[in-house]
Amino acid sequence: MSYALNHTNRKLTLEPKITVNAKIIVVGASSVGISFLETLVFCSHMKFNNLTLISTHGLPGKKLLDTEQRKFLASDHCFNDKDYALMSLCSWVNVVVGRMTGIDRAAKHVVLSTDEIVLYDHLILCTGQQYQVPCPTEADISQHLTNREVPNSSQRRYTGKVPCNHFTLNEEEDCFKALTWIRNNSITTEDGGRASVLFC
């Protein structure tokens, strides 16, 4: 396991810090959200006592990805597993595992999918880019339509049943599910091919 080496000296020990008790909530464990929390946690002259991260699967970097699993995710090269271990944000940040479903700006709270309410003084939304299940255009392929003739579906979202062999890979958890499915369902077909899997 990786370890963190923290250095302190007399100047840092005796330097007074401004205590900030404001409730700061960061929604999303994207690179921007993690970088924002890192900046606040390691601020030399301020101490933030009430930092909260709301994320579907908590802090990233909990599971060390193998080479196979890492290939599934697009890397932005901002943070790796060692960076997460060295920051140790779990020591400074309250982590709420869940999905935000609503914001009440007047009452200053967010609503989670479990109907739990989390109060805030400052709300930071850093959900990051997320891949979505592609929405069918419902175009008639027998008509041989061109792209210009197909209805624009960029604003539409697919709400139907997602096939079991379709995976949208946004997080580590998604990679584990996809790899597990591939290992359990990699069946050789009669013509010698493999079962097809669709990734987004």
Short mmCIF file of all heavy atoms in Angstrom, two decimals, residues 118-165:
data_model
loop_
_atom_site.label_atom_id
_atom_site.label_comp_id
_atom_site.label_asym_id
_atom_site.label_seq_id
_atom_site.Cartn_x
_atom_site.Cartn_y
_atom_site.Cartn_z
N VAL A 118 -28.84 17.44 2.62
CA VAL A 118 -27.54 17.90 3.09
C VAL A 118 -27.49 19.43 2.95
O VAL A 118 -27.67 19.96 1.86
CB VAL A 118 -26.38 17.27 2.30
CG1 VAL A 118 -25.04 17.69 2.88
CG2 VAL A 118 -26.50 15.74 2.28
N LEU A 119 -27.29 20.11 4.07
CA LEU A 119 -27.26 21.58 4.09
C LEU A 119 -25.92 22.10 3.59
O LEU A 119 -24.89 21.44 3.75
CB LEU A 119 -27.52 22.09 5.50
CG LEU A 119 -28.86 21.70 6.14
CD1 LEU A 119 -28.89 22.11 7.61
CD2 LEU A 119 -30.01 22.32 5.39
N TYR A 120 -25.94 23.30 3.03
CA TYR A 120 -24.69 23.91 2.55
C TYR A 120 -24.74 25.43 2.72
O TYR A 120 -25.80 26.03 2.78
CB TYR A 120 -24.43 23.55 1.09
CG TYR A 120 -25.39 24.20 0.11
CD1 TYR A 120 -25.17 25.49 -0.39
CD2 TYR A 120 -26.53 23.52 -0.34
CE1 TYR A 120 -26.04 26.08 -1.29
CE2 TYR A 120 -27.40 24.11 -1.25
CZ TYR A 120 -27.16 25.38 -1.71
OH TYR A 120 -28.02 25.97 -2.60
N ASP A 121 -23.55 26.01 2.81
CA ASP A 121 -23.38 27.46 2.70
C ASP A 121 -22.86 27.82 1.32
O ASP A 121 -23.21 28.85 0.75
CB ASP A 121 -22.42 27.98 3.78
CG ASP A 121 -23.00 27.83 5.18
OD1 ASP A 121 -24.19 28.15 5.37
OD2 ASP A 121 -22.26 27.39 6.09
N HIS A 122 -21.98 26.95 0.81
CA HIS A 122 -21.43 27.13 -0.54
C HIS A 122 -21.52 25.79 -1.26
O HIS A 122 -21.09 24.76 -0.72
CB HIS A 122 -19.97 27.60 -0.49
CG HIS A 122 -19.78 28.87 0.28
ND1 HIS A 122 -20.09 30.11 -0.24
CD2 HIS A 122 -19.32 29.08 1.54
CE1 HIS A 122 -19.82 31.03 0.67
NE2 HIS A 122 -19.36 30.44 1.75
N LEU A 123 -22.06 25.81 -2.48
CA LEU A 123 -22.24 24.58 -3.26
C LEU A 123 -21.39 24.65 -4.52
O LEU A 123 -21.48 25.60 -5.30
CB LEU A 123 -23.72 24.41 -3.63
CG LEU A 123 -24.08 23.18 -4.47
CD1 LEU A 123 -23.78 21.90 -3.70
CD2 LEU A 123 -25.54 23.24 -4.87
N ILE A 124 -20.54 23.64 -4.72
CA ILE A 124 -19.66 23.57 -5.87
C ILE A 124 -20.06 22.35 -6.70
O ILE A 124 -20.01 21.22 -6.21
CB ILE A 124 -18.17 23.43 -5.45
CG1 ILE A 124 -17.82 24.41 -4.33
CG2 ILE A 124 -17.26 23.60 -6.64
CD1 ILE A 124 -17.95 25.86 -4.69
N LEU A 125 -20.48 22.56 -7.95
CA LEU A 125 -20.89 21.47 -8.82
C LEU A 125 -19.75 21.11 -9.77
O LEU A 125 -19.37 21.92 -10.62
CB LEU A 125 -22.15 21.86 -9.62
CG LEU A 125 -23.37 22.23 -8.78
CD1 LEU A 125 -24.52 22.67 -9.68
CD2 LEU A 125 -23.80 21.08 -7.89
N CYS A 126 -19.20 19.92 -9.61
CA CYS A 126 -18.07 19.46 -10.44
C CYS A 126 -18.34 18.03 -10.90
O CYS A 126 -17.55 17.13 -10.63
CB CYS A 126 -16.77 19.50 -9.64
SG CYS A 126 -16.36 21.10 -8.94
N THR A 127 -19.45 17.83 -11.57
CA THR A 127 -19.82 16.47 -11.96
C THR A 127 -18.97 15.93 -13.11
O THR A 127 -18.93 14.73 -13.32
CB THR A 127 -21.30 16.42 -12.38
OG1 THR A 127 -21.54 17.42 -13.38
CG2 THR A 127 -22.19 16.72 -11.18
N GLY A 128 -18.31 16.81 -13.85
CA GLY A 128 -17.42 16.35 -14.91
C GLY A 128 -18.18 15.85 -16.12
O GLY A 128 -19.41 15.80 -16.15
N GLN A 129 -17.43 15.47 -17.15
CA GLN A 129 -18.05 14.91 -18.35
C GLN A 129 -18.46 13.47 -18.08
O GLN A 129 -17.73 12.71 -17.45
CB GLN A 129 -17.07 14.94 -19.52
CG GLN A 129 -16.90 16.30 -20.14
CD GLN A 129 -16.07 16.22 -21.41
OE1 GLN A 129 -15.17 15.40 -21.52
NE2 GLN A 129 -16.37 17.07 -22.37
N GLN A 130 -19.64 13.11 -18.56
CA GLN A 130 -20.12 11.76 -18.37
C GLN A 130 -20.69 11.24 -19.69
O GLN A 130 -21.43 11.94 -20.37
CB GLN A 130 -21.22 11.72 -17.29
CG GLN A 130 -20.70 12.12 -15.92
CD GLN A 130 -21.81 12.14 -14.89
OE1 GLN A 130 -22.97 12.12 -15.22
NE2 GLN A 130 -21.43 12.18 -13.64
N TYR A 131 -20.30 10.03 -20.01
CA TYR A 131 -20.83 9.40 -21.22
C TYR A 131 -22.27 8.99 -20.96
O TYR A 131 -22.64 8.61 -19.85
CB TYR A 131 -19.99 8.18 -21.60
CG TYR A 131 -18.57 8.51 -21.94
CD1 TYR A 131 -17.53 8.20 -21.08
CD2 TYR A 131 -18.27 9.16 -23.14
CE1 TYR A 131 -16.21 8.52 -21.39
CE2 TYR A 131 -16.96 9.47 -23.47
CZ TYR A 131 -15.94 9.15 -22.59
OH TYR A 131 -14.65 9.46 -22.90
N GLN A 132 -23.10 9.07 -21.97
CA GLN A 132 -24.51 8.72 -21.86
C GLN A 132 -24.83 7.57 -22.82
O GLN A 132 -24.14 7.35 -23.81
CB GLN A 132 -25.40 9.93 -22.22
CG GLN A 132 -25.15 11.16 -21.37
CD GLN A 132 -25.61 11.00 -19.94
OE1 GLN A 132 -26.53 10.23 -19.67
NE2 GLN A 132 -24.99 11.70 -19.02
N VAL A 133 -25.90 6.85 -22.49
CA VAL A 133 -26.37 5.80 -23.39
C VAL A 133 -26.88 6.47 -24.66
O VAL A 133 -27.69 7.39 -24.59
CB VAL A 133 -27.50 4.99 -22.74
CG1 VAL A 133 -28.05 3.95 -23.71
CG2 VAL A 133 -27.00 4.32 -21.46
N PRO A 134 -26.38 6.07 -25.84
CA PRO A 134 -26.84 6.73 -27.08
C PRO A 134 -28.33 6.52 -27.30
O PRO A 134 -28.86 5.44 -27.02
CB PRO A 134 -26.00 6.05 -28.17
CG PRO A 134 -25.55 4.77 -27.57
CD PRO A 134 -25.42 5.00 -26.10
N CYS A 135 -28.98 7.55 -27.79
CA CYS A 135 -30.42 7.49 -28.02
C CYS A 135 -30.68 7.17 -29.49
O CYS A 135 -30.19 7.88 -30.38
CB CYS A 135 -31.08 8.81 -27.64
SG CYS A 135 -32.87 8.75 -27.70
N PRO A 136 -31.45 6.12 -29.78
CA PRO A 136 -31.74 5.79 -31.18
C PRO A 136 -32.47 6.94 -31.88
O PRO A 136 -33.30 7.62 -31.28
CB PRO A 136 -32.63 4.56 -31.08
CG PRO A 136 -32.39 4.00 -29.72
CD PRO A 136 -32.04 5.17 -28.85
N THR A 137 -32.16 7.14 -33.16
CA THR A 137 -32.81 8.21 -33.92
C THR A 137 -34.18 7.79 -34.43
O THR A 137 -34.96 8.63 -34.88
CB THR A 137 -31.95 8.61 -35.13
OG1 THR A 137 -31.79 7.46 -35.96
CG2 THR A 137 -30.59 9.12 -34.67
N GLU A 138 -34.47 6.48 -34.39
CA GLU A 138 -35.72 5.92 -34.90
C GLU A 138 -35.90 6.20 -36.39
O GLU A 138 -37.01 6.29 -36.91
CB GLU A 138 -36.91 6.47 -34.11
CG GLU A 138 -36.85 6.09 -32.63
CD GLU A 138 -37.99 6.69 -31.83
OE1 GLU A 138 -38.83 7.40 -32.42
OE2 GLU A 138 -38.03 6.44 -30.62
N ALA A 139 -34.79 6.36 -37.08
CA ALA A 139 -34.85 6.57 -38.53
C ALA A 139 -35.10 5.23 -39.23
O ALA A 139 -34.64 4.18 -38.77
CB ALA A 139 -33.56 7.19 -39.03
N ASP A 140 -35.81 5.28 -40.33
CA ASP A 140 -36.11 4.08 -41.11
C ASP A 140 -34.92 3.79 -42.02
O ASP A 140 -34.66 4.53 -42.98
CB ASP A 140 -37.39 4.31 -41.92
CG ASP A 140 -37.82 3.04 -42.66
OD1 ASP A 140 -37.12 2.01 -42.53
OD2 ASP A 140 -38.84 3.10 -43.37
N ILE A 141 -34.17 2.73 -41.71
CA ILE A 141 -32.94 2.46 -42.48
C ILE A 141 -33.24 2.01 -43.90
O ILE A 141 -32.36 2.05 -44.77
CB ILE A 141 -32.06 1.41 -41.76
CG1 ILE A 141 -32.82 0.10 -41.57
CG2 ILE A 141 -31.58 1.93 -40.42
CD1 ILE A 141 -31.96 -1.02 -41.02
N SER A 142 -34.47 1.56 -44.14
CA SER A 142 -34.81 1.14 -45.51
C SER A 142 -34.92 2.33 -46.45
O SER A 142 -34.90 2.17 -47.67
CB SER A 142 -36.13 0.35 -45.50
OG SER A 142 -37.21 1.20 -45.10
N GLN A 143 -35.03 3.54 -45.90
CA GLN A 143 -35.14 4.74 -46.73
C GLN A 143 -33.78 5.29 -47.15
O GLN A 143 -33.71 6.24 -47.93
CB GLN A 143 -35.90 5.83 -45.96
CG GLN A 143 -37.32 5.44 -45.58
CD GLN A 143 -38.19 5.21 -46.80
OE1 GLN A 143 -38.11 5.94 -47.78
NE2 GLN A 143 -39.02 4.17 -46.75
N HIS A 144 -32.68 4.74 -46.58
CA HIS A 144 -31.31 5.18 -46.92
C HIS A 144 -31.16 6.69 -46.70
O HIS A 144 -30.72 7.43 -47.60
CB HIS A 144 -30.94 4.81 -48.36
CG HIS A 144 -31.07 3.34 -48.63
ND1 HIS A 144 -30.23 2.41 -48.07
CD2 HIS A 144 -31.97 2.64 -49.38
CE1 HIS A 144 -30.58 1.19 -48.49
NE2 HIS A 144 -31.64 1.31 -49.28
N LEU A 145 -31.51 7.15 -45.51
CA LEU A 145 -31.44 8.58 -45.20
C LEU A 145 -30.00 9.01 -44.98
O LEU A 145 -29.16 8.24 -44.50
CB LEU A 145 -32.26 8.89 -43.94
CG LEU A 145 -33.76 8.53 -44.01
CD1 LEU A 145 -34.41 8.76 -42.66
CD2 LEU A 145 -34.44 9.38 -45.08
N THR A 146 -29.72 10.26 -45.29
CA THR A 146 -28.41 10.83 -44.99
C THR A 146 -28.45 11.44 -43.58
O THR A 146 -29.52 11.56 -42.97
CB THR A 146 -28.04 11.93 -46.01
OG1 THR A 146 -28.99 13.00 -45.90
CG2 THR A 146 -28.06 11.39 -47.43
N ASN A 147 -27.28 11.85 -43.08
CA ASN A 147 -27.22 12.45 -41.74
C ASN A 147 -28.07 13.71 -41.65
O ASN A 147 -28.63 14.01 -40.60
CB ASN A 147 -25.78 12.77 -41.36
CG ASN A 147 -24.99 11.51 -41.07
OD1 ASN A 147 -25.57 10.46 -40.82
ND2 ASN A 147 -23.68 11.63 -41.10
N ARG A 148 -28.15 14.47 -42.73
CA ARG A 148 -28.94 15.71 -42.71
C ARG A 148 -30.44 15.43 -42.61
O ARG A 148 -31.19 16.23 -42.07
CB ARG A 148 -28.66 16.54 -43.95
CG ARG A 148 -27.26 17.12 -43.98
CD ARG A 148 -27.04 17.96 -45.21
NE ARG A 148 -25.69 18.46 -45.27
CZ ARG A 148 -25.21 19.18 -46.26
NH1 ARG A 148 -25.97 19.48 -47.30
NH2 ARG A 148 -23.96 19.61 -46.24
N GLU A 149 -30.85 14.28 -43.12
CA GLU A 149 -32.28 13.95 -43.13
C GLU A 149 -32.74 13.25 -41.85
O GLU A 149 -33.92 13.18 -41.57
CB GLU A 149 -32.60 13.05 -44.34
CG GLU A 149 -32.35 13.76 -45.66
CD GLU A 149 -32.37 12.78 -46.83
OE1 GLU A 149 -32.02 11.60 -46.63
OE2 GLU A 149 -32.73 13.21 -47.94
N VAL A 150 -31.78 12.77 -41.06
CA VAL A 150 -32.14 12.11 -39.79
C VAL A 150 -32.46 13.18 -38.75
O VAL A 150 -31.74 14.17 -38.64
CB VAL A 150 -30.97 11.23 -39.30
CG1 VAL A 150 -31.26 10.67 -37.92
CG2 VAL A 150 -30.72 10.11 -40.28
N PRO A 151 -33.56 13.02 -37.99
CA PRO A 151 -33.90 14.01 -36.95
C PRO A 151 -32.76 14.18 -35.95
O PRO A 151 -32.12 13.20 -35.56
CB PRO A 151 -35.14 13.41 -36.27
CG PRO A 151 -35.68 12.42 -37.25
CD PRO A 151 -34.53 11.92 -38.06
N ASN A 152 -32.51 15.42 -35.55
CA ASN A 152 -31.43 15.71 -34.60
C ASN A 152 -31.84 15.21 -33.22
O ASN A 152 -32.86 15.62 -32.67
CB ASN A 152 -31.17 17.23 -34.55
CG ASN A 152 -29.97 17.56 -33.68
OD1 ASN A 152 -29.30 16.67 -33.18
ND2 ASN A 152 -29.72 18.84 -33.50
N SER A 153 -31.03 14.30 -32.65
CA SER A 153 -31.39 13.70 -31.35
C SER A 153 -30.38 14.03 -30.27
O SER A 153 -30.24 13.32 -29.29
CB SER A 153 -31.51 12.18 -31.49
OG SER A 153 -30.27 11.65 -31.92
N SER A 154 -29.63 15.15 -30.44
CA SER A 154 -28.59 15.48 -29.47
C SER A 154 -29.14 15.81 -28.09
O SER A 154 -28.46 15.65 -27.08
CB SER A 154 -27.75 16.66 -29.99
OG SER A 154 -28.57 17.80 -30.16
N GLN A 155 -30.38 16.29 -28.03
CA GLN A 155 -30.97 16.66 -26.74
C GLN A 155 -31.80 15.52 -26.13
O GLN A 155 -32.30 15.65 -25.02
CB GLN A 155 -31.86 17.89 -26.91
CG GLN A 155 -31.14 19.12 -27.45
CD GLN A 155 -29.99 19.55 -26.55
OE1 GLN A 155 -30.11 19.51 -25.33
NE2 GLN A 155 -28.87 19.93 -27.16
N ARG A 156 -31.95 14.43 -26.86
CA ARG A 156 -32.77 13.34 -26.36
C ARG A 156 -31.95 12.42 -25.46
O ARG A 156 -30.74 12.31 -25.59
CB ARG A 156 -33.35 12.53 -27.52
CG ARG A 156 -34.27 13.35 -28.42
CD ARG A 156 -34.64 12.59 -29.67
NE ARG A 156 -35.32 11.34 -29.34
CZ ARG A 156 -35.50 10.36 -30.22
NH1 ARG A 156 -35.04 10.49 -31.45
NH2 ARG A 156 -36.12 9.26 -29.88
N ARG A 157 -32.62 11.78 -24.50
CA ARG A 157 -31.97 10.83 -23.61
C ARG A 157 -32.71 9.50 -23.68
O ARG A 157 -33.93 9.47 -23.68
CB ARG A 157 -31.99 11.34 -22.16
CG ARG A 157 -31.10 12.55 -21.93
CD ARG A 157 -29.64 12.17 -21.98
NE ARG A 157 -28.76 13.31 -21.82
CZ ARG A 157 -28.21 13.96 -22.83
NH1 ARG A 157 -28.50 13.63 -24.08
NH2 ARG A 157 -27.39 14.97 -22.60
N TYR A 158 -31.94 8.44 -23.73
CA TYR A 158 -32.54 7.11 -23.81
C TYR A 158 -33.03 6.70 -22.43
O TYR A 158 -32.27 6.72 -21.45
CB TYR A 158 -31.51 6.11 -24.32
CG TYR A 158 -32.06 4.71 -24.47
CD1 TYR A 158 -32.98 4.41 -25.46
CD2 TYR A 158 -31.66 3.69 -23.61
CE1 TYR A 158 -33.50 3.14 -25.60
CE2 TYR A 158 -32.16 2.41 -23.75
CZ TYR A 158 -33.08 2.15 -24.75
OH TYR A 158 -33.59 0.88 -24.89
N THR A 159 -34.30 6.37 -22.32
CA THR A 159 -34.89 5.99 -21.02
C THR A 159 -35.41 4.56 -21.02
O THR A 159 -36.02 4.13 -20.04
CB THR A 159 -36.05 6.94 -20.66
OG1 THR A 159 -37.03 6.92 -21.72
CG2 THR A 159 -35.55 8.37 -20.48
N GLY A 160 -35.19 3.83 -22.10
CA GLY A 160 -35.67 2.45 -22.17
C GLY A 160 -34.75 1.50 -21.43
O GLY A 160 -33.79 1.90 -20.75
N LYS A 161 -35.02 0.22 -21.55
CA LYS A 161 -34.21 -0.80 -20.90
C LYS A 161 -32.87 -0.94 -21.61
O LYS A 161 -32.82 -1.12 -22.82
CB LYS A 161 -34.95 -2.14 -20.90
CG LYS A 161 -34.22 -3.23 -20.14
CD LYS A 161 -35.00 -4.53 -20.14
CE LYS A 161 -34.21 -5.60 -19.38
NZ LYS A 161 -34.94 -6.90 -19.40
N VAL A 162 -31.81 -0.86 -20.85
CA VAL A 162 -30.45 -0.96 -21.41
C VAL A 162 -30.09 -2.43 -21.55
O VAL A 162 -30.24 -3.20 -20.59
CB VAL A 162 -29.44 -0.24 -20.51
CG1 VAL A 162 -28.04 -0.37 -21.08
CG2 VAL A 162 -29.81 1.22 -20.34
N PRO A 163 -29.62 -2.86 -22.73
CA PRO A 163 -29.24 -4.27 -22.90
C PRO A 163 -28.14 -4.67 -21.92
O PRO A 163 -27.32 -3.85 -21.50
CB PRO A 163 -28.74 -4.32 -24.35
CG PRO A 163 -29.32 -3.12 -25.01
CD PRO A 163 -29.46 -2.08 -23.96
N CYS A 164 -28.11 -5.95 -21.57
CA CYS A 164 -27.14 -6.43 -20.56
C CYS A 164 -25.71 -6.37 -21.06
O CYS A 164 -24.77 -6.41 -20.27
CB CYS A 164 -27.50 -7.85 -20.12
SG CYS A 164 -27.36 -9.07 -21.44
N ASN A 165 -25.51 -6.29 -22.38
CA ASN A 165 -24.15 -6.24 -22.92
C ASN A 165 -23.75 -4.82 -23.35
O ASN A 165 -22.84 -4.63 -24.14
CB ASN A 165 -24.01 -7.20 -24.11
CG ASN A 165 -24.90 -6.79 -25.27
OD1 ASN A 165 -25.91 -6.12 -25.08
ND2 ASN A 165 -24.53 -7.20 -26.47
#
